[in-house]
């Protein structure tokens, strides 16, 4: 009986040891699986973050490209353009036609082109008298849109100007450049007190020079 008891306790001890070993093995396996799952999740997160960075980089590149395209597409004359060498999209003739629609026809007695610092755009200013109303119409020199219209009562009877007769813009500019040099930053043709003349505004290295050319007498005067 004593021998059988020892055998029984030995068998029980063996089973307990087997279960203990099995438990340890299962725990280590579970820990290994948890560690592997954690590493996989971390790698996936890194990939996703990397992908996000790439996507963000791509979006930034697309935005920059879009901005460059917009700037290029909307570009016209630079603010410091030389009007003796470059011209805006809208011609003086077209600007006058647009202004006459606003004034319901009338006598055109002045047109001016310069860069408007407030609107940051090249603009024409066309002056038209229709009966007793003097219209001052501002027109975007790149788009042809009417920017502003001012009206004043008047009893003046100004002469009508003509861009080609008796003197063209190019002829008047040539006479003006004999007296002054530099960048042509603005010009106008207007009738005032019965006299019609071109006025050219030059910027010669920071020095402002105004040259007037009488279209009939071809007399040139310089005011600096």
């Amino acid at each position: 009986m004593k021998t059988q008891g020892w055998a029984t306790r030995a068998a029980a001890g063996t089973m307990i040891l087997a279960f203990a070993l099995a438990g340890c093995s299962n725990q280590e396996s579970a820990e290994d699986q948890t560690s592997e799952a954690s590493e996989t999740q971390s790698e996936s997160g890194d990939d996703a973050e990397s992908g996000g960075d790439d996507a963000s980089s791509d979006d930034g590149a697309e935005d920059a490209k879009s901005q460059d395209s917009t700037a290029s597409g909307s570009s016209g004359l630079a603010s410091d353009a030389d009007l003796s060498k470059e011209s805006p999209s809208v011609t003086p003739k077209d600007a006058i036609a647009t202004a006459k629609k606003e004034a319901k026809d009338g006598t055109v007695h002045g047109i001016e082109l310069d860069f408007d610092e407030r609107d940051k755009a090249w603009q024409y200013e066309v002056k038209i008298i229709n009966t007793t109303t003097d219209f001052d119409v501002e027109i975007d020199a790149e788009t042809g849109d009417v920017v502003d219209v001012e009206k004043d009562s008047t009893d003046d009877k100004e002469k009508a100007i003509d861009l080609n007769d008796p003197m063209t813009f190019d002829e008047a500019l040539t006479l003006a450049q004999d007296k002054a040099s530099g960048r042509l930053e603005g010009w106008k043709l207007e009738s005032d007190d019965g006299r019609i003349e071109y006025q050219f505004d030059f910027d010669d290295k920071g020095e402002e020079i105004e040259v007037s050319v009488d279209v009939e007498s071809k007399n040139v005067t310089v005011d600096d």
Side-chain angles (χ1 to χ4, degrees), residues 40-56:
T40 302
Q41 182 176 1
S42 177
E43 291 176 356
S44 298
D46 291 343
D47 291 343
E49 184 177 354
S50 176
D53 291 342
D54 291 343
S56 176

Side-chain angles (χ1 to χ4, degrees), residues 95-108:
I96 288 175
T98 298
K100 292 183 75 171
K101 291 180 181 179
E102 292 291 327
K104 308 299 186 215
D105 211 2
T107 301
V108 180

